[in-house]
Amino acid sequence: MAVQRWIILTVLTTALSGLAVPAVPAVADAGPDQPTTSVTIDGARIDQKIPGKVRVDVTYVCGVAAEARSLTVTVEQQDPEDAATKAFGSTRTADTDIQCDGTEQHRQLIVSSKTTNWIPDVDAVLTATVSNLGSAPPASADARRIRLATPTPAATG
């Protein structure tokens, strides 16, 4: 019986040692030459012509890196009259469309709802994430609750 317990203990110890996570060194500060990665949602509004699209304004900064990078924006809005109905959509830019040179960049991304049209004058939850794997920190996110409004047409005259 003691041998059987010893075998079971040896097998468990061996199996669990494979699950051990090696220590990860702390990420060094970005330093004066390398800006930190950051992103901010500046605003959002429903597209004037297509109510299934939201235009989201984002400002981001990321350092120079040869690694992969991306900018992702998601929008989620619950219908106040029907709790089971949610508009949801997300978009991700191609890594070649993200400029990571340490300067502040402004982008407008269009998020299409995959379920239903966006509802004017109702709050939505927006999340923006920029990743720059060669930077410190490697990613940054911003989340906000924003009331989606339909822009008024420009006056002609």
Side-chain angles (χ1 to χ4, degrees):
M1 188 71 149
V3 172
Q4 186 179 14
R5 286 185 191 157
W6 178 82
I7 292 172
I8 292 172
L9 182 60
T10 303
V11 170
L12 284 174
T13 305
T14 304
L16 291 175
S17 67
L19 296 176
V21 179
V24 177
V27 177
D29 286 338
D33 296 338
Q34 183 76 1
T36 59
T37 300
S38 67
V39 63
T40 304
I41 299 170
D42 299 321
R45 63 195 169 285
I46 298 172
D47 188 283
Q48 181 177 341
K49 296 179 182 177
I50 305 170
K53 293 185 178 184
V54 170
R55 296 181 178 272
V56 180
D57 298 312
V58 176
T59 301
Y60 71 91
V61 175
C62 55
V64 179
E67 300 290 332
R69 53 198 180 268
S70 70
L71 175 62
T72 305
V73 174
T74 62
V75 182
E76 183 177 335
Q77 182 188 51
Q78 184 170 340
D79 186 335
E81 296 177 10
D82 182 7
T85 302
K86 286 188 181 187
F88 176 81
S90 67
T91 189
R92 180 184 178 276
T93 62
D95 62 345
T96 55
D97 291 342
I98 301 300
Q99 185 173 351
C100 288
D101 62 3
T103 62
E104 187 174 270
Q105 304 293 320
H106 302 280
R107 292 286 307 263
Q108 185 179 86
L109 291 97
I110 297 175
V111 179
S112 297
S113 175
K114 295 175 179 16
T115 53
T116 184
N117 284 343
W118 304 107
I119 303 170
D121 301 321
V122 173
D123 286 350
V125 175
L126 284 78
T127 306
T129 306
V130 65
S131 67
N132 182 13
L133 299 180
S135 182
S140 179
D142 186 22
R144 297 180 188 264
R145 183 176 301 274
I146 296 177
R147 184 167 297 267
L148 296 182
T150 304
T152 56
T156 58

